[in-house]
């Protein structure tokens, strides 16, 4: 089933929130400073012409929903089906897909060895995948440019 | 066994490499404030220096100049040479899966360097565009850590929370504790944490992935074999090694390769990996597993998810237990 990135609301909203509060590339208002409403913005094209578009909604100083969608010049959305043939629904590059799915027999799942965390919130730093790529930042800045 | 000492921590932050840089200096007992401030300043300064040399978005950077003039030898600084050497090394060691020079025409050497009378020069193969984003962060974090080592008993440098380098005394316990952010929409808390006394940790992946599909497309990571965004069964991966650039190269490669091939590659190159899959499983290499503690409820949930990608009520229960 096709599932566009627009449904990644919580994760994207969190990323927007982090960016607004930290002011990554230029001073930006915090979410608490924004009026209620829905904000939309787009990035400039990347090297292949793909453009990122963001939409997020603020209610009572909190980002309640957000979506970020990247679209190719021909209108193809970078969603869960990106890379699959439109006619067959199969991967365009079968060799890649097969290789990526190939199992290495020696590997196992080791979750049972993990210890339970009793004080999981007492940490030194929280590691997370970065979302601070250029198009995302540009789209947020564009969305807030009229404020 | 490392002992816990009465330690004091001092945090500072700056903006560089398109994100926020955090430096934590730990001292055992009283410390000279000026010494700490100077050490922190040096750490932030070297990250800014690397950014100025390797940013794709600064027209005057060594990297931008190189990308603008492929096929020509250009004078460059030592940062570009150091990262280019590592990038080519890991491109070879990963059979091209980690590739910082993008998709382009076949070339024996994508990027070359030489030291002449007037300093370093570099050359980029025509048709290629170099992007050292992640590996440059790992390089900068390690450099910044080393700049502080003499001034503090313990150091942690975080660049964008995805490139973390640390050594020495941790502030609250015998080892550093790094929480793992959840890539899953269904789990808004951290997954758990990794404990380790030293090393360079790289986290790559996505945020806000909704469980259900066995694979996803990671838009910001290119698969060199297809020239398109990577399709993978890995939502997020954390790689720990003794070198920031190795951790960065392998976390990116694991995203592209997928769970089993990626973990095998990490082990082959002497790194430890923690993988969070698109279907909700939590998997670690044997060396990494004892370092990991999962938040209450995640272990059972991950075991179920690891066996089946079917949606279960456990996901909802996890939210309650994990909050």
């Amino acid at each position: 089933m096709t599932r566009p990135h627009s449904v990644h609301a919580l994760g994207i909203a969190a990323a927007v929130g982090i960016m607004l509060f930290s002011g990554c590339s230029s001073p930006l208002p915090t979410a608490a400073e924004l009026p209620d409403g829905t904000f939309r913005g787009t990035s400039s094209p990347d090297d292949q012409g793909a453009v990122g578009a963001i939409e997020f909604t603020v209610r009572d100083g909190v980002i309640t929903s957000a979506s970020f969608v990247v679209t190719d010049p021909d209108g193809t959305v970078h969603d869960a089906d990106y890379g699959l043939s439109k006619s067959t629904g199969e991967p365009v590059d079968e060799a890649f897909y097969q290789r990526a799915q190939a199992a290495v027999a020696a590997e196992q799942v080791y979750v049972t060895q993990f210890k339970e965390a009793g004080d999981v919130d007492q940490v030194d730093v929280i590691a997370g995948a970065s979302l601070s790529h250029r198009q995302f930042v540009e789209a947020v800045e564009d969305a807030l440019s009229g404020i | 066994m490392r002992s816990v000492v009465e330690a004091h921590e001092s945090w500072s932050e700056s903006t560089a490499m398109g994100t926020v840089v955090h430096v934590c200096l730990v001292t055992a007992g009283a410390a000279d404030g000026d010494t700490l401030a100077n050490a922190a300043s040096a750490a932030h300064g070297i990250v800014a220096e690397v950014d100025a040399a390797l940013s794709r978005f600064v027209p005057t950077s060594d990297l931008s100049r190189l990308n603008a003039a492929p096929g020509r030898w250009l004078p460059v600084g030592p940062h570009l040479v150091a990262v280019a050497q590592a990038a080519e090394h890991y491109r070879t060691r990963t059979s091209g899966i980690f590739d910082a020079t993008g998709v382009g025409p076949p070339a024996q050497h994508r990027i070359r360097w030489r030291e002449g009378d007037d300093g370093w020069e570099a050359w980029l193969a025509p048709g290629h565009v170099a992007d050292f984003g992640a590996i440059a962060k790992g390089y900068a974090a390690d450099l910044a850590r080393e700049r502080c080592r003499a001034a503090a008993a313990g150091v942690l440098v975080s660049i964008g929370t995805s490139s973390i380098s640390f050594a020495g005394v941790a502030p609250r316990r015998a080892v550093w504790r790094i929480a793992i952010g959840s890539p899953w929409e269904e789990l808004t808390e951290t997954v758990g944490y990794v404990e380790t006394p030293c090393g360079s940790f790289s986290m790559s992946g996505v945020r806000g992935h909704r469980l259900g599909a066995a694979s996803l497309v990671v838009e910001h990571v290119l698969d060199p074999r297809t020239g398109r965004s990577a399709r993978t069964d890995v939502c997020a991966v954390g790689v720990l090694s003794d070198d920031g650039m190795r951790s960065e190269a392998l976390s990116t490669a694991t995203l592209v390769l997928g769970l089993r091939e990626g973990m095998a590659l990490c082990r082959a190159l002497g790194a430890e990996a923690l993988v969070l899959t698109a279907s909700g499983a939590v998997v670690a290499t044997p060396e990494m597993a004892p370092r990991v503690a999962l938040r209450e409820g995640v272990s059972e949930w991950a075991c179920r998810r690891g066996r089946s990608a079917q949606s279960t009520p456990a996901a909802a229960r996890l939210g309650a237990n994990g909050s």
Side-chain angles (χ1 to χ4, degrees):
Chain A
M1 185 179 77
T2 299
R3 188 170 55 78
H5 282 202
S6 56
V7 300
H8 297 177
L10 280 178
I12 299 298
V16 174
I18 289 169
M19 185 188 159
L20 292 181
F21 283 111
S22 64
C24 283
S25 57
S26 63
L28 291 171
T30 67
E33 294 171 329
L34 295 175
D36 285 359
T38 298
F39 300 84
R40 300 179 182 87
T42 58
S43 73
S44 58
D46 67 9
D47 297 342
Q48 283 74 47
V51 173
I54 196 164
E55 178 177 315
F56 60 93
T57 300
V58 176
R59 291 278 182 274
D60 298 326
V62 176
I63 296 169
T64 57
S65 67
S67 68
F68 182 68
V69 177
V70 178
T71 307
D72 283 344
D74 65 359
T76 301
V77 176
H78 294 206
D79 59 16
D81 289 339
Y82 194 60
L84 297 180
S85 166
K86 291 179 180 176
S87 58
T88 67
E90 296 299 318
V92 173
D93 188 327
E94 186 63 30
F96 149 62
Y97 204 72
Q98 290 297 326
R99 183 174 177 184
Q101 299 299 318
V104 177
E107 292 295 344
Q108 299 177 42
V109 176
Y110 282 92
V111 286
T112 55
Q113 291 186 12
F114 295 164
K115 54 191 175 184
E116 290 292 326
D119 53 348
V120 72
D121 294 320
Q122 296 176 8
V123 300
D124 298 317
V125 65
I126 299 175
S130 175
L131 263 178
S132 59
H133 46 86
R134 179 183 62 83
Q135 288 191 309
F136 186 77
V137 174
E138 282 187 358
V140 173
E141 289 177 338
D142 183 48
L144 300 178
S145 62
I147 297 176
Chain B
M1 178 102 183
R2 294 156 60 92
S3 60
V4 181
V5 299
E6 185 66 29
H8 302 275
E9 56 188 311
S10 169
W11 286 84
S12 58
E13 72 175 56
S14 62
T15 302
M17 308 189 88
T19 188
V20 180
V21 180
H22 290 99
V23 174
C24 174
L25 302 178
V26 180
T27 54
D32 180 348
D34 288 342
T35 300
L36 285 182
N38 289 338
S41 178
H44 290 291
I46 194 66
V47 176
E49 184 180 307
V50 172
D51 188 21
L54 302 183
S55 171
R56 283 196 306 135
F57 307 112
V58 176
T60 56
S61 74
D62 285 353
L63 187 65
S64 292
R65 291 189 302 106
L66 197 64
N67 281 332
R72 290 175 48 197
W73 284 97
L74 296 178
V76 297
H79 296 312
L80 186 138
V81 174
V83 176
Q85 287 177 332
E88 281 295 271
H89 173 73
Y90 288 111
R91 184 173 70 87
T92 302
R93 296 298 301 274
T94 62
S95 302
I97 297 301
F98 173 79
D99 192 343
T101 50
V103 178
Q108 182 179 4
H109 299 287
R110 302 287 184 84
I111 187 167
R112 299 159 68 187
W113 52 89
R114 66 189 182 192
E115 189 170 20
D117 294 339
D118 296 325
W120 288 102
E121 292 182 321
W123 175 96
L124 181 67
H128 290 270
V129 176
D131 181 357
F132 295 143
I135 196 170
K137 288 187 176 75
Y139 170 74
D142 281 1
L143 269 187
R145 179 194 68 190
E146 292 308 306
R147 288 292 174 99
C148 299
R149 286 294 296 273
V155 180
L156 179 147
V157 177
S158 165
I159 300 180
T161 74
S162 59
S163 304
I164 304 169
S165 184
F166 43 93
V169 176
R172 280 172 290 276
R173 58 191 73 81
V175 293
W176 294 92
R177 182 177 288 181
I178 304 164
I180 305 300
S182 168
W184 302 303
E185 189 175 69
E186 289 82 351
L187 177 61
T188 56
E189 301 291 334
T190 56
V191 174
Y193 58 73
V194 171
E195 285 187 332
T196 180
C198 61
S200 300
F201 188 80
S202 168
M203 192 85 190
S204 296
V206 301
R207 291 176 177 172
H209 173 71
R210 181 177 292 179
L211 292 168
S215 66
L216 73 156
V217 173
V218 182
E219 288 179 18
H220 65 283
V221 175
L222 194 70
D223 185 336
R225 299 165 298 188
T226 65
R228 310 200 70 169
S229 294
R231 175 176 290 277
T232 178
D233 59 354
V234 174
C235 244
V237 53
V239 173
L240 176 70
S241 78
D242 59 3
D243 179 85
M245 290 193 282
R246 184 191 309 164
S247 295
E248 296 291 341
L250 289 175
S251 64
T252 300
T254 299
L255 267 184
V256 174
L257 283 172
L259 171 64
R260 299 196 180 278
E261 278 195 279
M263 291 181 70
L265 179 64
C266 288
R267 294 188 70 189
L269 297 187
E272 304 174 19
L274 174 68
V275 176
L276 313 176
T277 74
S279 57
V282 181
V283 188
T285 56
E287 299 80 9
M288 174 68 90
R291 302 185 189 280
V292 179
L294 296 179
R295 184 179 288 277
E296 184 180 5
V298 172
S299 180
E300 177 191 5
W301 181 70
C303 283
R304 292 186 181 195
R305 286 286 175 180
R307 284 194 291 267
S308 169
Q310 299 293 316
S311 179
T312 73
R317 185 154 50 84
L318 174 72
N321 289 343
S323 59

